[in-house]
Amino acid sequence: MSTPIRAGARWLTPFTVAWLAIWTVQLTPVQLLLPLQLDAAEDDWIAGVVSSGLVLGVGGLAGIIAGPVAGALSDRAPAGRRRRRPWALAGAWLTALCLLATGVSSGPWAVGAAWTGVSVGVAVASAAFTAMIADQLPPTQRGAASAAIGSSQAVGVVVGVGLVVLLGLDVIQGYLLLAGAIAVIGTGAAVLLPDPPAAERQRPGASRDARAISLRDRDFAWMLAGRLVTNIGNALGTALFLFFLLHGLGQSTTEAQDNLLLLIVVYTVFVVIASVVTGIVSDRTGNRRGLTVLAAVVQAASGVVIAISPALETTLIAAALMGLGYGAFSTVGLAFAADLLPHEQDHARDLGIVNVTAALGQLIGPVLGAGLVALVGGFWLDFAAAAVLSLAGALLTAMARGSRRSPASRSPAAARR
């Protein structure tokens, strides 16, 4: 097996910037642009919520399929060929083109078709960049790299929504800005990050054992189940925020956009704090499972707060708790997943499956949330379900045993054998 060496700023900087761009172009439309495109008249606002949920759901389904497929194909690159860079470039440019198409589309069907292309592009690029963690980093740096991904997720939302709101961009201009960002930054990061040519020993073997489905690994399967359920809980709590401000709290469009930005800033601050702190702690202690379970419980508390007292002030408190919980969960949970990978030859495929849990959460969450809102004519059940599912995710994660390549339990040399 390969022997990863510690990465410095020349590796971590383009890796972090790449993820900042990925999250910005994926989440800015989810939080702001798509709801503005699909919002219906005041007397039929539930139709807008349902349309938004369906569009995000279809896009999530496409990402679920595209991520593992792209990862598996990159794992199978012929010896001497680059494994990750071509897929990172293809994903970035497909995302850019489909963002432009989404911006000029109107109506749920056209917007949904274009957004599906965005989801595929993001999934392909994400699979390539995520695989670099397992390919090139030792276990003692996986928490730090995962922290870069987790903190970039929150910062990306602030950057995207902030630029659109503060610059007064309309929907088409917003999509144009995002398309340019992913094209330039995605290309630059893919070129700057190393991608050693594939060796024959790194390609998946033809035997049944070498190609064993990773879902048969007990710990890996429990971890995936926990990530999926917790991500659904997160999507229930965040995907409909703009609709909640507009129709749950009765705010005007301008006021709701301003308060959405405020909520995202609060969420981001706590995501960054949680990501950095828990990433460092998990690298030093190796207690990835315990930290991941605790993070899901904290996320559950946010749903309880807003379900009990739906007001702007309590929503700010809930956003802080959600940031703490999800920031820690996404960071330590990804490092935990990297430690549990069963087969080196299938890193990209298996991490593509790990990414699918987030994408599937974005598929199920908005659709389920829209259904719950339509069922009761309000948002309380949506946030209550977010709390319940987050607690269920914590329990499922706890079923996975500690990481087999924990930095606390093994030396780096032993972990690579």
Side-chain angles (χ1 to χ4, degrees), residues 133-389:
I133 297 176
D135 287 348
Q136 302 178 31
L137 297 183
T140 51
Q141 280 195 301
R142 289 174 181 168
S146 299
I149 297 176
S151 57
S152 296
Q153 178 177 4
V155 174
V157 181
V158 172
V159 170
V161 174
L163 286 174
V164 172
V165 172
L166 297 178
L167 296 177
L169 303 180
D170 60 26
V171 169
I172 295 178
Q173 291 170 333
Y175 279 111
L176 181 62
L177 175 66
L178 297 178
I182 191 61
V184 173
I185 296 174
T187 299
V191 171
L192 290 174
L193 285 167
D195 184 25
E200 187 61 37
R201 60 180 172 77
Q202 293 176 309
R203 302 189 68 213
S207 70
R208 180 177 179 180
D209 290 339
R211 300 182 64 183
I213 298 174
S214 299
L215 293 178
R216 295 172 183 168
D217 183 278
R218 174 192 179 278
D219 298 326
F220 192 72
W222 280 119
M223 176 275 301
L224 286 176
R227 280 183 66 84
L228 170 61
V229 174
T230 306
N231 272 287
I232 295 173
N234 177 265
L236 282 173
T238 59
L240 302 178
F241 252 149
L242 183 59
F243 286 115
F244 171 68
L245 294 173
L246 287 169
H247 306 293
L249 300 184
Q251 298 180 354
S252 67
T253 300
T254 301
E255 184 184 11
Q257 289 187 39
D258 291 341
N259 285 329
L260 176 65
L261 180 57
L262 176 61
L263 289 170
I264 289 173
V265 169
V266 171
Y267 176 82
T268 298
V269 169
F270 285 93
V271 165
V272 172
I273 292 172
S275 296
V276 173
V277 172
T278 58
I280 294 172
V281 170
S282 75
D283 278 343
R284 291 182 177 177
T285 67
N287 185 22
R288 312 237 203 243
R289 180 181 65 169
L291 287 170
T292 305
V293 171
L294 178 61
V297 173
V298 174
Q299 177 176 287
S302 70
V304 174
V305 169
I306 196 171
I308 292 175
S309 179
L312 180 60
E313 294 77 13
T314 51
T315 304
L316 288 168
I317 296 173
L321 289 172
M322 179 70 76
L324 280 175
Y326 191 69
F329 182 87
S330 61
T331 294
V332 184
L334 181 57
F336 187 38
D339 287 343
L340 290 175
L341 293 176
H343 309 292
E344 183 196 26
Q345 295 90 342
D346 291 310
H347 276 170
R349 183 201 67 185
D350 292 341
L351 284 172
I353 295 173
V354 172
N355 285 340
V356 158
T357 59
L360 188 55
Q362 293 300 320
L363 183 159
I364 297 175
V367 175
L368 176 60
L372 294 174
V373 170
L375 179 65
V376 299
F379 292 85
W380 67 267
L381 186 58
D382 173 69
F383 293 115
V388 171
L389 289 175

Side-chain angles (χ1 to χ4, degrees), residues 78-132:
R81 298 284 184 86
R82 308 286 178 179
R83 292 197 295 170
R84 315 306 182 197
R85 185 173 297 152
W87 293 92
L89 290 170
W93 278 95
L94 176 60
T95 301
L97 291 174
C98 291
L99 282 168
L100 294 175
T102 307
V104 298
S105 299
S106 61
W109 289 102
V111 171
W115 181 249
T116 297
V118 174
S119 298
V120 170
V122 166
V124 171
S126 297
F129 284 115
T130 306
M132 294 179 184

